[in-house]
Amino acid sequence: NAGVTQTPKFRILKIGQSMTLQCTQDMNHNYMYWYRQDPGMGLKLIYYSVGAGITDKGEVPNGYNVSRSTTEDFPLRLELAAPSQTSVYFCASRTSAEETQYFGPGTRLLVL
Amino acid sequence: QKEVEQNSGPLSVPEGAIASLNCTYSDRGSQSFFWYRQYSGKSPELIMSIYSNGDKEDGRFTAQLNKASQYVSLLIRDSQPSDSATYLCAVKMDSSYKLIFGSGTRLLVRP
């Protein structure tokens, strides 16, 4: 199993550009999460999903969108990139029976 | 008031000492508590979970929970330089799908 994979590893965006951060898990986990981590800070929840077709907002959803068309994939969309979205983005997943979240390697995003 | 609070550190201890990391939380409905370790530039990894009052031991790690005081701690015995990392405390309410993370405590173990 590859676990949770994220692409790209690093990206530089110009203000106003859009992009999609990809997240895929091969563990058949129902629950998936997107977090952002600013320097020296903890993780802030952006969006989460409890299954295909079901998504909900976390603490900091503004400026982002998600979709969950399959169990495996949970992409995060930035429509109009802003410098405040410069951060490291982590995707995580877990089963409905176990509370341990498994994290992907992260995507470092720089908006200039 | 922050929901999950941790001292940012750094907490510096000599090799072989006991490192004590602390976390307080504000929501009395919280039922599940987790400690994640995060090396610089890497993703968080779970090292301990605790659900009931008291101590839970796993190797050199001991998690302690006191729900009445809304306090959870992590003790690392015989600290090693490889334990140098940021330790994130996370809390979950029983009815929630979400984890609330603290901002983390940076631990430095001096050889």
Side-chain angles (χ1 to χ4, degrees), chain A residues 51-104:
Chain A
I54 306 170
T55 63
D56 206 350
K57 296 178 180 179
E59 303 168 79
V60 289
N62 291 345
Y64 307 94
N65 277 300
V66 293
S67 60
R68 184 95 182 270
S69 57
T70 67
T71 298
E72 294 78 20
D73 300 305
F74 190 40
L76 178 71
R77 179 82 177 163
L78 283 71
E79 289 294 349
L80 291 170
S84 61
Q85 293 177 306
T86 292
S87 191
V88 179
Y89 292 83
F90 289 104
C91 179
S93 72
R94 71 172 178 97
T95 69
S96 54
E98 181 188 358
E99 297 190 351
T100 302
Q101 292 191 17
Y102 297 88
F103 284 82

Side-chain angles (χ1 to χ4, degrees), chain B:
Chain B
Q1 180 187 6
K2 288 186 179 179
E3 293 177 300
V4 179
E5 293 207 47
Q6 297 180 255
N7 189 318
S8 61
L11 172 65
S12 181
V13 301
E15 184 175 354
I18 296 175
S20 178
L21 304 163
N22 304 314
C23 172
T24 58
Y25 59 94
S26 60
D27 195 326
R28 288 195 172 274
S30 301
Q31 295 294 327
S32 307
F33 306 87
F34 307 88
W35 284 99
Y36 282 82
R37 178 176 62 200
Q38 186 176 26
Y39 292 114
S40 180
K42 300 296 184 182
S43 56
E45 57 177 330
L46 182 71
I47 53 172
M48 289 287 287
S49 58
I50 187 166
Y51 303 97
S52 54
N53 280 329
D55 295 358
K56 179 181 177 183
E57 188 174 318
D58 184 0
R60 295 187 297 112
F61 299 97
T62 299
Q64 299 175 318
L65 175 61
N66 184 326
K67 290 185 179 180
S69 300
Q70 295 175 243
Y71 177 94
V72 58
S73 64
L74 179 69
L75 301 178
I76 306 174
R77 289 182 299 282
D78 188 23
S79 295
Q80 301 297 308
S82 59
D83 294 325
S84 298
T86 296
Y87 290 80
L88 300 168
C89 174
V91 173
K92 176 182 168 299
M93 286 183 62
D94 193 41
S95 59
S96 173
Y97 302 113
K98 302 179 284 188
L99 286 181
I100 306 298
F101 283 85
S103 56
T105 298
R106 191 158 70 98
L107 173 66
L108 297 175
V109 182
R110 308 187 305 272

